[in-house]
Amino acid sequence: MSKKRGLSLEEKREKILQIFYDSQDFYLLKELEKLGPKKGVISQSVKDVVQSLVDDDLVSKDKVGSSVYFWSLPSCAGNQLRSVYNKLESDLQSNKRRLAELIEQRDVLKKGREESDEREEALGELKTIETKYNELKNEMGQYAANDPAALEAMKNAIGVAHAAANRWTDNIFTLRQWCSNNFPQAKEQLEHLYTEIGITDDFDYLETVNPINAQMLECVQKVM
């Protein structure tokens, strides 16, 4: 024997609505949960079914004191359906008008664009101009490094890097002096350490950098 098929959500909604329509009365949720099984809707699903009907404005609810009452009349459902129908009808007419406007705009734009030898010639000329434009744009990109604004920005960046390098050089000299004053017995070990990390006898402050000098610029960029 095949198992009996359960009710779909839409079928449950119809069953619950029928309870309201038959009695045209007000109900508490717990009352609907008792009446639901009589219509084939298990009590555990009554709450969700009722809420879906409330969300679709097919069932009304209101709080009276500490209790929440639900109700629905056939006339209310009819009004709701008519309201939905009127909105859909209004949207349909609006979309039809918009479609007519777009068709009219399309026809206007198509005028003067009919296929012809002159049009093909004009399109070919436009393509040639676009190709030339892209070539010139790429060529300009090759000279971007010589842009005065780019050079000025580079000069400013070099100045910042130069100041930072000398500031850290000053910090290193200060730290070396502090180590010498506080650890005189470790002078040889400290000198060996300085040499290992690149602080040799020729370590000194950087002179002013000329941004046009490529070799000096490369040195500063390494410092950065």
Side-chain angles (χ1 to χ4, degrees):
M1 183 180 295
S2 61
K3 188 176 180 180
K4 184 178 179 181
R5 182 182 70 86
L7 297 176
S8 66
L9 175 59
E10 194 56 38
E11 289 172 333
K12 292 178 181 178
R13 285 159 56 95
E14 291 177 1
K15 296 290 186 181
I16 297 298
L17 276 177
Q18 198 60 48
I19 293 175
F20 289 109
Y21 294 165
D22 290 343
S23 65
Q24 299 187 20
D25 202 352
F26 299 83
Y27 293 97
L28 296 170
L29 180 60
K30 62 181 180 180
E31 294 174 334
L32 292 172
E33 290 175 339
K34 292 180 180 179
L35 294 173
K38 296 180 181 180
K39 293 289 186 177
V41 183
I42 60 175
S43 58
Q44 292 87 342
S45 64
V46 168
K47 181 178 179 180
D48 292 336
V49 174
V50 172
Q51 186 58 51
S52 73
L53 293 170
V54 172
D55 293 340
D56 290 342
D57 293 330
L58 294 176
V59 170
S60 300
K61 75 173 183 177
D62 201 359
K63 187 173 183 180
V64 179
S66 59
S67 301
V68 178
Y69 287 88
F70 300 87
W71 72 93
S72 179
L73 303 174
S75 59
C76 294
N79 291 336
Q80 175 64 20
L81 292 175
R82 279 190 290 273
S83 176
V84 172
Y85 172 80
N86 291 335
K87 183 179 184 306
L88 293 175
E89 183 66 22
S90 175
D91 291 343
L92 176 61
Q93 296 302 323
S94 177
N95 289 332
K96 284 182 177 179
R97 288 193 296 270
R98 180 57 180 163
L99 176 61
E101 292 174 358
L102 292 174
I103 292 175
E104 183 179 357
Q105 292 178 12
R106 181 203 62 186
D107 294 340
V108 171
L109 293 174
K110 287 177 65 176
K111 292 181 179 179
R113 298 188 179 187
E114 296 81 2
E115 295 296 333
S116 64
D117 294 339
E118 292 79 4
R119 176 174 171 77
E120 290 297 325
E121 182 178 352
L123 289 175
E125 183 177 353
L126 175 60
K127 186 175 181 179
T128 300
I129 293 174
E130 289 177 342
T131 302
K132 184 63 176 177
Y133 168 78
N134 291 329
E135 291 175 353
L136 293 173
K137 185 177 180 181
N138 292 333
E139 184 177 354
M140 288 181 63
Q142 298 175 6
Y143 301 107
N146 297 325
D147 183 14
L151 290 175
E152 184 64 24
M154 185 183 298
K155 181 179 179 181
N156 293 335
I158 291 172
V160 173
H162 178 261
N166 282 335
R167 183 168 61 253
W168 280 104
T169 299
D170 192 51
N171 291 339
I172 290 172
F173 283 144
T174 301
L175 180 60
R176 286 184 63 178
Q177 185 62 45
W178 183 86
C179 291
S180 298
N181 294 338
N182 290 274
F183 307 102
Q185 69 280 8
K187 180 179 180 181
E188 292 185 3
Q189 293 91 328
L190 288 172
E191 291 297 334
H192 181 68
L193 175 62
Y194 298 150
T195 302
E196 283 187 344
I197 62 177
I199 304 176
T200 57
D201 293 338
D202 59 351
F203 181 79
D204 204 348
Y205 295 99
L206 291 174
E207 297 179 359
T208 304
V209 180
N210 181 358
I212 307 301
N213 188 313
Q215 185 176 2
M216 294 294 291
L217 175 60
E218 182 180 357
C219 293
V220 173
Q221 288 175 333
K222 289 182 180 179
V223 174
M224 294 173 65

